[in-house]
Amino acid sequence: MNQETKTSLPGYKDIIQEIGKQLRARKKDFLKRIILISWPVPTIFAIFRLKNYLSEKNILTLPEKYDLWFFVIIGALVILVIFYYYILSAIFAIEKIVWIDSYFDNKNLDSKTSWKIAQKLLPSATMLVSMTFLRFYLWIPLFYGSLFYFYFYYFLQFNISDSVGNAMGIIIIFLLFFIPIYFYYLRIKLRFLWFVFLDLYGQEGVLATEVFQEMKKLNQIRKSDMFKKTLIINLGSDAIGIIVQQVIENLQKGFNSLGVGSQVLGLYMRSFAEETNKQITSFGKMTGVYLLYRYARQSLYGEAQKVNENIYKID
C-alpha cells in the first residue's frame, strides 16, 4: 500500500480514482456499518405500520388501555433509536477518517480494530466538536437571537411605523439567507480539521487551540486553488447525493402503491439506500480532501504523511 508522494496539487482525475480505490477497499465494511446503523429506524416504522394494518383489517384490535401502552412503548423506542443512531453515526464518521488515514499510513486495520479505535477517539472528538461550535458557530444563534429580540422589542415598545418595521423585517430575512452560505463556507474552511486532529492526537500539551492553529497554517497553502478544489469536491458530491436521493424517493412511492408487505420492504430499502448514499457521499468528500491535505503537508513540512502511532496504540 505504499503511496507515491504527490508534488503537485492533485487533479480531479486523481481525486476520483482515489475515491474509487478507497470505496473498493472498504465495501464490505461499509455494508456492515450501514446495516448496523440503519436497521432500527425502519423497524420502528414497520411495527407501527403493521399494527395499523392489523387494526384496519380487524385482525388484531387492542383494548384502549393497551393501545395507549403501545404508543408509550413506541415513543420510548423512538428516543432510544435516536440516541442509537446518532452515537453510532458519530463513531462511524470517526472510523471513516481512520480508514483513510491508516491506508496512507500503511496500517492494515481490520474493521474490528478500526471500530474500536473510533470508539476510543469519540470523547476527544466530541470535545473538539464542542470547541468548534463555540469558536465558529455559537455567534449565529447569539447574533440572530439578539437581532430578533431588538426588532420585536423596538417594534412593540416604540410603535415604529409599518414602513420602517417592514424594512427592518426584510433586512433580517435577507440576513437569514447568509446562514446556509456561511455553513457551506465553514465546511470548506474546516476541511482539514479532522485529519489534523488524528495527526496531533495524544501529543502532550495539544488542545483544540493547537488543532485550529495547525489547520489555519495548512489552509494558507495554495489558498485560492485549495478552496476552489474543495468547493468543487463538495458541490459535486452533494449534487450526486441529491440525484440519488430523488431516485430513492421515487422508488419508495412505487412501493407505497402496493400492499403492506411491499410498504414494509420499501421502508427497509429506503432506509438502507439513504444511509448508503449519505455515507458514501461523505466518504468521497473525505477522501478527496485528504489528498489535498497530503499536498498541503508536503508543501509546508516537506512530507505528505505523518504517522501518529498514538492512534494505533489505543486499540
Side-chain angles (χ1 to χ4, degrees):
M1 290 193 300
N2 291 330
Q3 304 297 317
E4 179 185 348
T5 299
K6 299 291 184 182
T7 57
S8 60
L9 191 63
Y12 297 114
K13 183 179 179 181
D14 299 320
I15 292 170
I16 292 171
Q17 288 177 342
E18 190 60 45
I19 290 172
K21 187 189 300 182
Q22 293 289 331
L23 287 172
R24 287 192 298 272
R26 290 291 182 177
K27 58 185 177 183
K28 292 182 180 179
D29 297 331
F30 260 104
L31 180 61
K32 289 190 292 186
R33 296 292 181 257
I34 288 167
I35 292 174
L36 178 67
I37 291 172
S38 60
W39 73 266
V41 175
T43 299
I44 294 292
F45 283 103
I47 292 172
F48 191 77
R49 180 67 188 90
L50 286 171
K51 187 265 181 188
N52 287 342
Y53 174 79
L54 294 174
S55 298
E56 291 169 2
K57 299 296 183 181
N58 293 320
I59 299 173
L60 176 64
T61 304
L62 296 175
E64 186 174 342
K65 62 177 181 179
Y66 293 117
D67 203 42
L68 177 62
W69 275 110
F70 172 81
F71 285 105
V72 170
I73 292 170
I74 289 294
L77 287 175
V78 167
I79 294 173
L80 288 174
V81 165
I82 291 172
F83 278 104
Y84 175 92
Y85 178 83
Y86 280 104
I87 290 173
L88 265 66
S89 294
I91 296 172
F92 187 35
I94 299 169
E95 185 182 33
K96 287 183 293 185
I97 301 168
V98 171
W99 283 349
I100 299 168
D101 193 53
S102 64
Y103 177 86
F104 287 96
D105 283 348
N106 293 322
K107 302 287 186 179
N108 189 16
L109 299 181
D110 58 36
S111 59
K112 183 178 180 180
T113 303
S114 63
W115 185 254
K116 192 173 182 180
I117 289 173
Q119 285 179 296
K120 292 190 176 182
L121 287 171
L122 183 61
S124 298
T126 302
M127 181 62 68
L128 182 58
V129 168
S130 301
M131 296 304 296
T132 302
F133 174 79
L134 292 174
R135 186 168 183 141
F136 297 102
Y137 293 91
L138 182 60
W139 73 268
I140 298 174
L142 293 178
F143 173 75
Y144 284 98
S146 300
L147 204 61
F148 278 108
Y149 172 78
F150 283 112
Y151 171 72
F152 287 108
Y153 175 80
Y154 281 107
F155 190 80
L156 294 175
Q157 291 294 322
F158 296 99
N159 294 319
I160 58 177
S161 65
D162 289 341
S163 58
V164 174
N166 290 337
M168 291 174 61
I170 291 171
I171 292 172
I172 292 174
I173 293 172
F174 179 76
L175 289 174
L176 288 173
F177 283 106
F178 282 97
I179 295 178
I181 297 173
Y182 178 70
F183 281 175
Y184 217 89
Y185 165 76
L186 281 184
R187 188 194 296 184
I188 311 301
K189 180 182 177 66
L190 302 175
R191 58 189 178 273
F192 296 149
L193 179 67
W194 293 105
F195 304 128
V196 173
F197 165 74
L198 286 187
D199 282 347
L200 297 184
Y201 177 83
Q203 296 184 21
E204 187 176 353
V206 172
L207 301 172
T209 302
E210 284 70 30
V211 174
F212 294 138
Q213 289 174 349
E214 178 70 7
M215 178 190 69
K216 185 177 180 181
K217 286 193 292 184
L218 291 166
N219 280 347
Q220 299 305 312
I221 305 299
R222 297 280 296 274
K223 187 173 182 179
S224 178
D225 292 336
M226 287 283 216
F227 190 93
K228 184 177 74 172
K229 279 191 180 291
T230 308
L231 180 62
I232 291 175
I233 289 170
N234 278 270
L235 289 173
S237 299
D238 290 342
I240 293 171
I242 290 170
I243 293 170
V244 173
Q245 180 64 33
Q246 289 299 316
V247 173
I248 293 170
E249 290 178 1
N250 289 333
L251 288 173
Q252 173 70 26
K253 291 177 183 178
F255 278 103
N256 286 342
S257 64
L258 303 175
V260 66
S262 297
Q263 292 176 15
V264 171
L265 177 61
L267 284 172
Y268 279 96
M269 291 184 64
R270 176 170 182 170
S271 179
F272 293 142
E274 286 183 339
E275 193 64 31
T276 300
N277 181 34
K278 172 186 172 182
Q279 298 297 347
I280 289 179
T281 299
S282 69
F283 189 69
K285 293 176 188 176
M286 291 176 185
T287 303
V289 171
Y290 193 81
L291 294 183
L292 302 180
Y293 175 69
R294 280 169 55 81
Y295 172 81
R297 279 196 56 83
Q298 177 70 38
S299 300
L300 189 62
Y301 297 114
E303 57 177 6
Q305 201 67 23
K306 178 181 179 180
V307 180
N308 185 1
E309 295 293 346
N310 293 317
I311 296 292
Y312 307 107
K313 289 178 182 176
I314 63 175
D315 65 332

